[in-house]
């Protein structure tokens, strides 16, 4: 293999730049050229690409976002656009593609691999919800962003003796809510994977008040309901006024943590190795700190991370 392509797709995640850098440097190390494809599958269809030399990925390991830009490209589900993009790749002499993104991006890579373009997926999304791998690039940085924000909100919640509901991202997954809630000592955590009980949340607040603790933090995953809706339900039953904060896209930005930089470097370099071994329709995964590759087909499994252990712990620690 003499020339490969790399693109970032879907919601951006801190560490994507570090992964691009690793792909370029590792491929160059093996004498393989890398073309950066801009704007995800949108640019793939149009053949919008540029040669990435060693210097072009200098000074990006610490930068959030993605140097290659990203997009959510709905029309890429149509085969005619997939074939159009594959033709552009053939014209440019690109023999393999590395797709850095979440499960939607992996579905695109799966389709391309079935149409004959060698494809490897690198999991990157703040949601940490890609089936087949324990970790996705960006999760750690997003968690730190959320925890920093919750710590700050707790300062003012304590001073004013308020109850705050903080809504975090995660799409259908509660990973960000659960991990950040545990790390920030939230009094209640509400995630899609576990049932919630409004009366129990109120009882928890009341128990705190009885101990003269007048503030509370509730973290709700966006996949359950909006913070405003939860505030309305709680107010209706308890009369307590809640303050709400929706953290929003701040969770997707920022300089990647050291952990995300290391994971992105490992994932990106491993993806190049897989292409050089002639593999296709595979994704990079990690379990117990061990990298491996798996069939992109696994993306179609509706696997949820096992949250029950951490969820139970969070309840035990916030009695
Ligand atoms: O998948 C990452 C993510 O940030 C989710 O947590 C969130 O639901 C979604 O993307 C938001 O996407 P957009 O910025 O396209 O609205």
């Amino acid at each position: 293999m003499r020339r490969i392509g790399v693109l970032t797709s879907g919601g951006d995640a801190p560490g994507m730049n570090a992964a691009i850098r690793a792909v370029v440097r590792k491929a160059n190390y093996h004498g393989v050229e890398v073309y950066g494809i801009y704007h995800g599958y949108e640019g793939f269809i149009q053949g919008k690409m540029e040669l990435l030399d060693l210097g072009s990925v200098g000074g990006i390991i610490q930068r959030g976002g993605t140097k290659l830009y990203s997009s959510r490209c709905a029309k890429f589900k149509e085969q005619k656009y997939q074939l159009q993009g594959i033709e552009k790749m053939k014209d440019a002499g690109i023999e393999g593609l590395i797709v850095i993104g979440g499960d939607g991006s992996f579905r695109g890579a799966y389709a391309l691999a079935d149409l004959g373009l060698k494809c490897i997926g690198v999991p990157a999304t703040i949601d940490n919800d890609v089936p087949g791998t324990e970790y996705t690039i960006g999760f750690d940085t997003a968690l730190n962003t959320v925890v920093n924000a919750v710590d700050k909100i707790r300062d003012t919640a304590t001073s004013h003796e308020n109850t705050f509901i903080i809504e975090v991202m995660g799409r259908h997954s509660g990973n960000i809510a659960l991990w950040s809630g545990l790390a920030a000592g939230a009094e209640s955590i509400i995630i899609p994977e576990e049932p919630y009980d409004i009366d129990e949340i109120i009882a928890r607040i009341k128990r705190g008040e009885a101990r003269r603790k007048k503030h509370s933090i509730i973290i709700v995953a966006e996949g359950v309901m909006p913070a405003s809706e939860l505030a309305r339900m709680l107010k209706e039953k308890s009369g307590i006024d809640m303050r709400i904060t929706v953290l929003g896209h701040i969770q997707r930005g920022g300089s990647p943590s050291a952990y995300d930089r290391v994971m992105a470097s490992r994932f990106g370099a491993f993806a190049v190795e897989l292409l050089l071994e002639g593999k296709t329709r595979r994704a990079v995964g990690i379990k117990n700190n061990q990298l491996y590759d798996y069939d992109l087909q696994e993306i179609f499994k509706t696997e949820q991370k096992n949250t029950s252990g951490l969820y139970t712990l969070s309840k035990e620690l916030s009695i």
Side-chain angles (χ1 to χ4, degrees):
M1 203 169 269
R2 307 299 309 157
R3 187 175 290 168
I4 62 172
V6 59
L7 62 80
T8 49
S9 157
D12 61 341
M16 278 183 162
N17 277 323
I20 296 166
R21 173 183 178 273
V23 167
V24 171
R25 295 270 164 100
K26 177 78 172 178
N28 273 255
Y29 178 83
H30 291 287
V32 176
E33 277 182 342
V34 181
Y35 274 72
I37 297 156
Y38 288 98
H39 297 105
Y41 290 125
E42 198 65 60
F44 178 83
I45 294 169
Q46 295 159 23
K48 234 167 52 185
M49 65 181 96
E50 197 171 54
L51 178 68
L52 298 177
D53 60 19
L54 288 177
S56 71
V57 290
I60 65 166
I61 196 168
Q62 79 284 10
R63 273 173 37 199
T66 160
K67 171 189 166 63
L68 293 176
Y69 303 92
S70 193
S71 66
R72 298 194 191 276
C73 180
K75 68 180 184 211
F76 198 66
K77 290 186 183 130
E78 291 176 48
Q79 202 180 71
K80 70 170 180 188
Y81 291 112
Q82 297 163 3
L83 288 168
Q84 190 177 314
I86 288 179
E87 276 315 303
K88 299 277 181 196
M89 296 303 121
K90 274 190 191 148
D91 293 348
I94 289 174
E95 297 165 79
L97 179 69
I98 293 178
V99 172
I100 304 170
D103 61 350
S105 313
F106 278 19
R107 283 166 199 257
Y110 178 86
L112 292 177
D114 266 2
L115 292 171
L117 179 65
K118 287 202 160 76
C119 275
I120 303 290
V122 169
T125 160
I126 62 164
D127 303 337
N128 199 20
D129 64 347
V130 174
T133 179
E134 262 183 13
Y135 191 75
T136 62
I137 298 164
F139 180 57
D140 183 64
T141 308
L143 279 184
N144 283 300
T145 301
V146 173
V147 169
N148 283 333
V150 177
D151 288 351
K152 288 182 173 132
I153 289 168
R154 193 183 284 282
D155 287 345
T156 181
T158 313
S159 305
H160 289 268
E161 302 186 323
N162 282 328
T163 295
F164 266 84
I165 301 175
I166 302 170
E167 180 187 318
V168 300
M169 280 187 168
R171 220 171 23 146
H172 308 300
S173 147
N175 288 315
I176 296 178
L178 181 56
W179 282 68
S180 65
L182 193 56
E187 279 68 25
S188 292
I189 302 171
I190 304 172
I191 56 173
E193 295 83 350
E194 304 286 341
Y196 65 89
D197 176 352
I198 290 289
D199 293 328
E200 193 200 317
I201 298 168
I202 294 168
R204 206 176 276 271
I205 297 170
K206 296 261 160 79
R207 275 205 302 277
E209 282 177 355
R211 297 198 322 260
R212 299 179 36 182
K213 178 183 169 195
K214 298 277 174 53
H215 78 277
S216 262
I217 301 282
I218 299 168
I219 296 200
V220 60
E222 65 175 356
V224 180
M225 71 179 107
S228 54
E229 171 67 8
L230 181 61
R232 193 195 55 72
M233 284 163 74
L234 288 167
K235 164 97 181 178
E236 206 173 273
K237 277 215 158 181
S238 69
I240 304 170
D241 269 319
M242 312 269 162
R243 293 300 185 94
I244 60 174
T245 302
V246 179
L247 289 183
H249 286 79
I250 192 174
Q251 295 161 93
R252 287 229 300 256
S255 176
S257 65
Y259 187 73
D260 272 324
R261 296 181 201 191
V262 171
M263 297 307 273
S265 301
R266 291 177 71 192
F267 283 17
F270 191 64
V272 171
E273 279 175 22
L274 296 176
L275 271 186
L276 295 186
E277 283 166 22
K279 292 196 177 173
T280 182
R281 220 182 78 171
R282 310 290 292 172
V284 175
I286 192 159
K287 194 171 189 173
N288 300 328
N289 201 27
Q290 211 51 48
L291 291 176
Y292 56 85
D293 57 290
Y294 63 95
D295 195 326
L296 273 172
Q297 174 112 41
E298 284 200 37
I299 214 68
F300 300 102
K301 288 187 186 158
T302 47
E303 174 197 277
Q304 275 189 341
K305 299 236 172 343
N306 185 357
T307 48
S308 58
L310 281 190
Y311 186 71
T312 305
L313 178 64
S314 75
K315 287 200 152 187
E316 288 168 352
L317 300 187
S318 59
I319 40 169

